[in-house]
Amino acid sequence: MSSTQYWEEEIETMSREKLRELQLQRLRKTIAIAGNSPYYKKVFAEHGITADSVRTLEDIRKLPFTTKADMRAHYPFGLVAGDMKNDGVRIHSSSGTTGNPTVIVHSRHDLDSWANLVARCLYMVGIRKTDVFQNSSGYGMFTGGLGFQYGAERLGCLTVPAAAGNSKRQIKFINDFKTTALHAIPSYAIRLAEVMQEEGIDPAGTSLKTLVIGAEPHTDEQRRKIERMLGVKAYNSFGMTEMNGPGVAFECQEQNGMHFWEDCYLVEIINPETGEPVPDGEVGELVLTTLDREMMPLIRYRTRDLTRILPGECPCGRTHLRIDRIKGRSDDMFIIKGVNIFPMQVEKILVQFPELGSNYLIILETTNNQDEMVVEVELSDLSTDNYIELERVRKEITRQLKDEILVTPKVKLVKKGTLPQSEGKAVRVKDLRNNR
């Protein structure tokens, strides 16, 4: 593959041995910097940790995990290691809907590194400076807006900072500005295609060629549905506020796992119960350490995201490891009748039925002291009014869901537009059970 396929060929195709050497060098530097923060200074002292005590990458296991709870407990600046007054240039935070938000402070170096990573990702999926890149992410404290904005600008694209929502305006921009690349969360990409159809526009007939999707777990079936509806190639993206935002890992054009940029992040996959590493190929919780952040490095951050490292080399020539699509979150899992269930298991079944729309809701409730699971799912525009046919579909959905999740849910088919629409991440589960 020619060098025109790489944003930074030397880094992206670095040998595993050289990559590990770079990681160790950056890990030691990161630990030295982190020790200047009030939080890590105390943690390192308690565990006898210094940069010198880390001689191999495996020595990272000597350090304790960092959690969202730790960040909230030391809100807002307890984990800041740099000179914030002189070198801090931007703050981002999570939504903080259940308490203090998690806050990340960036230096100029950190923002430059982040923008470069996003540019590297976009370049990898074939986006070039001649593209028109439209971003339908929220701007402000949410990282998806400015993260993709600065990355696309670094690449040299003509950028359209459309921000979230207002679907008709999004579509007008796509048509008027001849947008070729779009960033959207999966559920919103489907919503845009539906609004186009309502407006009499052929979704697959626009100038769009490339779609970047992420921010909410989704199945490969949902990705293929988006590609069919919009006539694009859709590439999976992984990012999180604590690790900068977008640009942490990204699919290449092979669409077979997301390359994790190991020059900037050290990846571990652990058993979420024991904290011990799991073998490559086995699903576990993703744990990340920043390797190129100066203002506020994070060490062994427990993401709660569930994934696995994909074995083998990628035909694209990049040597950085690949992770599978995010399976869900260890804290998204719900237990009903003793069975562990993830919303994506339900979606995997629903997306296979052409009679169904894209919007669904899982309701957990207690009836006669028994936990019940209700799946409400919208019908598509093309659904039949034939009651017998709808009942056949409902029973088949119920049967397939039982086979997948080992619990028999109640399935309710509702008219399109009945369930709440979300401009942000879709809410898929409502737990109304007693004592929850």
Side-chain angles (χ1 to χ4, degrees):
M1 189 175 280
S2 70
S3 60
T4 57
Q5 298 302 311
Y6 303 105
W7 180 246
E8 296 168 297
E9 184 173 11
E10 186 180 348
I11 290 175
E12 293 174 53
T13 62
M14 188 177 279
S15 72
R16 294 300 304 172
E17 185 184 358
K18 285 271 178 65
L19 200 47
R20 285 177 65 83
E21 285 174 11
L22 177 63
Q23 285 187 309
L24 181 58
Q25 172 194 329
R26 288 187 167 183
L27 175 61
R28 289 165 62 93
K29 181 182 176 185
T30 294
I31 290 169
I33 293 170
N36 295 319
S37 74
Y39 173 74
Y40 282 120
K41 187 174 187 177
K42 183 169 180 288
V43 168
F44 290 174
E46 287 171 356
H47 291 82
I49 299 294
T50 65
D52 290 338
S53 63
V54 176
R55 299 182 183 278
T56 69
L57 289 177
E58 287 65 36
D59 285 345
I60 189 137
R61 292 179 203 150
K62 296 176 181 176
L63 282 76
F65 296 113
T66 304
T67 66
K68 191 179 284 280
D70 294 326
M71 296 183 72
R72 285 176 169 165
H74 296 86
Y75 172 90
F77 303 131
L79 277 76
V80 173
D83 181 350
M84 198 166 72
K85 285 187 177 175
N86 287 309
D87 299 326
V89 295
R90 195 195 300 165
I91 293 174
H92 276 288
S93 78
S94 66
S95 57
T97 50
T98 55
N100 283 333
T102 52
V103 169
I104 298 293
V105 184
H106 296 279
S107 68
R108 172 57 53 202
H109 166 87
D110 299 340
L111 292 183
D112 284 345
S113 174
W114 178 17
N116 187 65
L117 284 180
V118 177
R120 190 192 291 177
C121 293
L122 298 179
Y123 197 90
M124 178 166 62
V125 299
I127 298 172
R128 298 293 182 264
K129 64 180 181 180
T130 49
D131 279 287
V132 179
F133 182 90
Q134 185 165 322
N135 190 9
S136 71
S137 233
Y139 281 66
M141 300 303 271
F142 177 62
T143 56
L146 290 173
F148 274 109
Q149 179 70 31
Y150 277 71
E153 286 181 4
R154 175 68 63 92
L155 184 55
C157 297
L158 178 61
T159 57
V160 183
N166 199 334
S167 301
K168 290 182 181 179
R169 189 183 66 158
Q170 298 278 359
I171 294 163
K172 180 175 174 58
F173 287 166
I174 289 169
N175 285 327
D176 293 353
F177 302 155
K178 303 295 182 233
T179 302
T180 56
L182 173 71
H183 169 241
I185 61 175
S187 55
Y188 189 59
I190 290 175
R191 178 67 188 141
L192 271 181
E194 290 172 344
V195 175
M196 284 182 189
Q197 289 171 338
E198 290 163 11
E199 296 290 302
I201 297 168
D202 175 10
T206 71
S207 51
L208 284 178
K209 294 186 183 69
T210 307
L211 189 68
V212 174
I213 51 177
E216 63 184 13
H218 60 285
T219 58
D220 201 49
E221 290 86 355
Q222 188 180 6
R223 184 248 291 276
R224 298 303 174 198
K225 179 178 181 179
I226 291 167
E227 290 187 328
R228 287 193 304 271
M229 290 179 84
L230 287 169
V232 296
K233 276 290 186 185
Y235 296 98
N236 202 2
S237 155
F238 173 79
M240 60 193 316
T241 299
E242 295 86 350
M243 292 295 121
N244 290 346
V248 180
F250 227 79
E251 279 184 325
C252 64
Q253 290 178 308
E254 297 292 326
Q255 291 183 305
N256 184 24
M258 294 178 285
H259 287 279
F260 224 104
W261 299 127
E262 294 182 88
D263 55 317
C264 293
Y265 302 99
L266 187 61
V267 178
E268 300 174 77
I269 307 283
I270 64 163
N271 180 317
E273 302 296 327
T274 66
E276 292 301 308
V278 302
D280 284 3
E282 193 173 304
V283 172
E285 181 184 337
L286 183 64
V287 173
L288 298 175
T289 298
T290 62
L291 295 177
D292 192 32
R293 203 158 70 192
E294 295 180 347
M295 182 58 61
M296 191 173 161
L298 286 182
I299 295 168
R300 301 199 85 198
Y301 182 73
R302 293 192 63 162
T303 68
R304 300 293 176 187
D305 287 314
L306 299 171
T307 186
R308 66 190 179 106
I309 291 174
L310 294 176
E313 296 178 0
C314 185
C316 79
R318 291 173 181 85
T319 53
H320 296 239
L321 67 78
R322 291 169 299 138
I323 62 163
D324 205 351
R325 64 180 49 251
I326 301 300
K327 304 289 185 187
R329 290 176 57 81
S330 58
D331 48 7
D332 272 354
M333 183 187 78
F334 57 89
I335 301 173
I336 191 159
K337 298 182 179 177
V339 179
N340 297 349
I341 299 172
F342 293 93
M344 286 182 68
Q345 292 176 277
V346 174
E347 180 177 293
K348 183 173 123 183
I349 301 301
L350 299 181
V351 78
Q352 296 174 30
F353 286 84
E355 298 88 351
L356 303 180
S358 57
N359 216 2
Y360 70 92
L361 182 64
I362 300 165
I363 300 168
L364 309 175
E365 55 191 17
T366 306
T367 307
N368 299 326
N369 295 317
Q370 292 283 320
D371 283 353
E372 297 287 349
M373 175 178 167
V374 180
V375 179
E376 293 190 355
V377 56
E378 291 185 355
L379 291 160
S380 74
D381 273 346
L382 305 174
S383 65
T384 174
D385 290 329
N386 184 326
Y387 173 78
I388 295 172
E389 176 64 12
L390 288 182
E391 186 60 14
R392 182 195 68 76
V393 171
R394 190 190 66 76
K395 285 181 176 175
E396 181 59 18
I397 294 167
T398 305
R399 185 190 70 75
Q400 289 196 29
L401 283 173
K402 183 185 178 184
D403 287 348
E404 172 68 26
I405 61 178
L406 309 178
V407 168
T408 304
K410 290 181 182 173
V411 175
K412 293 183 180 178
L413 304 180
V414 301
K415 284 185 180 177
K416 185 176 180 182
T418 303
L419 299 177
Q421 283 284 355
S422 174
E423 299 283 1
K425 292 185 186 181
V427 176
R428 297 304 193 194
V429 182
K430 274 192 176 177
D431 195 341
L432 307 176
R433 292 176 288 182
N434 299 343
N435 304 315
R436 294 300 195 281

